[in-house]
Amino acid sequence: MDIQTIGIVGAGQMGNGIAHVMALAGYDVMLTDISEEALKAAVALVEGNMARQVGRGKISEADMTAAMGRIATTTTLTDLGPSDLIIEAATERETVKQAIFEDLLPHIKPETILTSNTSSISITRLASRTDRPERFMGFHFMNPVPVMQLVELIRGIATNEETFSACKAVVDKLGKTAASAEDFPAFIVNRILMPMINEAVYTLYEGVGNVQSIDSSMKLGANHPMGPLELADFIGLDTCLAIMNVLHDGLADTKYRPCPLLTKYVEAGWLGRKTQRGFYDYRGDVPVPTR
């Protein structure tokens, strides 16, 4: 299948990044969100990020102008009906995702491929609630989308080879690398990354080290570009907790038990950078550890 038009559900951090790379690669993009303000903010953010790419010589002014012209927005979900490929990038709650696909189904073409950018939810289970489980798969971008080179392609139990090949061709056109993953909780990246972050929170919880010493140790001792607690704040502590719960529930192994301190931060609404407080306080000029 030759994919030309791409519908993206959700104009948040992931959705606007996906719109950015798809438009630059030459695809016509329809971005939808329930909030007109979110759509305006997303387009402004994409434009600003592309302008920085122009400034760094990564793309030309002409590339940026053409790409921005390929992005349309709508608050009406069913306007995505004519899309060849739809990527759902809404909040990481299964009931929300199911409702989106349910609303889309009567309006899309028989050949349309449905995908989810979920970081942990079962693709097989999401697909089973649609009329096309063979044309459904996981299309998981890494954050920030324009920078990160990996895309996880996750097959549900029913996903056919044609669907996988079509999605792989899109990843190739983006100039990114596809990693094929099987449909088990959290797939590859988060299956490995989130337990490391959770263990860092346990290390803090048990008093082995403070925020600064834990992050400095991993940056200088393991050559990580960001410390695990700094990274958790960047991802969002609510997202980290949600993925740990998926791992714990889905694999029934106590090694995936979310740290009580992670739960406490989420209960406090200290979710990281997006709320200005997490393991660091971002309200001043320089982030300050909160423990």
Side-chain angles (χ1 to χ4, degrees):
M1 181 180 178
D2 185 25
I3 292 171
Q4 301 290 335
T5 56
I6 293 178
I8 301 168
V9 183
Q13 193 173 37
M14 298 305 294
N16 73 63
I18 297 168
H20 176 141
V21 298
M22 291 296 183
L24 268 182
Y27 293 105
D28 291 322
V29 173
M30 179 66 78
L31 179 63
T32 186
D33 198 282
I34 55 173
S35 163
E36 184 67 48
E37 291 72 27
L39 289 169
K40 287 177 182 173
V43 171
L45 189 59
V46 170
E47 193 167 20
N49 288 339
M50 284 192 192
R52 276 194 286 277
Q53 287 180 301
V54 172
R56 293 198 301 267
K58 300 283 187 184
I59 62 174
S60 68
E61 285 272 9
D63 291 335
M64 175 177 168
T65 302
M68 291 306 299
R70 294 188 194 103
I71 300 174
T73 64
T74 180
T75 54
T76 306
L77 181 66
T78 54
D79 287 348
L80 270 57
S83 304
D84 298 324
L85 168 67
I86 292 175
I87 302 171
E88 171 274 313
T91 187
E92 190 72 352
R93 291 210 303 272
E94 190 165 346
T95 52
V96 172
K97 295 178 186 298
Q98 287 173 346
I100 288 166
F101 290 124
E102 192 174 302
D103 289 346
L104 276 170
L105 286 176
H107 305 279
I108 59 178
K109 302 181 292 186
E111 64 271 22
T112 296
I113 293 173
L114 293 177
T115 67
S116 176
N117 184 59
T118 178
S119 52
S120 60
I121 296 168
S122 167
I123 297 303
T124 298
R125 198 163 60 237
L126 287 174
S128 72
R129 301 290 291 269
T130 74
D131 64 352
R132 62 195 66 206
E134 72 287 346
R135 302 186 70 75
F136 191 111
M137 69 181 304
F139 209 131
H140 182 217
F141 288 85
M142 306 296 126
N143 183 35
V145 178
V147 175
M148 302 298 277
Q149 288 301 301
L150 186 77
V151 180
E152 284 181 317
L153 293 179
I154 305 104
R155 305 175 203 240
I157 198 168
T159 306
N160 65 25
E161 191 58 40
E162 182 189 19
T163 298
F164 178 84
S165 297
C167 290
K168 171 73 163 54
V170 172
V171 176
D172 291 344
K173 191 172 177 181
L174 295 178
K176 295 188 183 293
T177 298
S180 178
E182 293 303 312
D183 185 25
F184 290 98
F187 319 130
I188 296 172
V189 173
N190 284 319
R191 171 78 177 262
I192 297 167
L193 176 64
M194 285 302 158
M196 184 198 76
I197 288 175
N198 193 52
E199 194 62 28
V201 183
Y202 266 114
T203 306
L204 178 65
Y205 176 61
E206 293 167 4
V208 180
N210 60 29
V211 168
Q212 197 160 24
S213 64
I214 291 165
D215 277 352
S216 294
S217 293
M218 293 308 291
K219 284 193 282 190
L220 302 178
N223 207 28
H224 290 191
M226 294 172 75
L229 301 175
E230 182 187 3
L231 180 56
D233 276 358
F234 179 74
I235 294 166
L237 304 193
D238 52 340
T239 300
C240 295
L241 179 60
I243 295 169
M244 286 309 302
N245 280 326
V246 166
L247 280 165
H248 191 230
D249 296 344
L251 297 171
D253 191 325
T254 55
K255 73 180 180 180
Y256 299 115
R257 183 172 70 94
C259 179
L261 184 60
L262 178 60
T263 302
K264 192 62 67 183
Y265 268 75
V266 173
E267 287 173 345
W270 292 20
L271 309 181
R273 285 182 178 270
K274 61 187 173 186
T275 60
Q276 296 293 294
R277 279 194 290 187
F279 293 113
Y280 293 85
D281 189 325
Y282 299 92
R283 293 173 296 174
D285 294 333
V286 178
V288 178
T290 54
R291 289 180 85 85

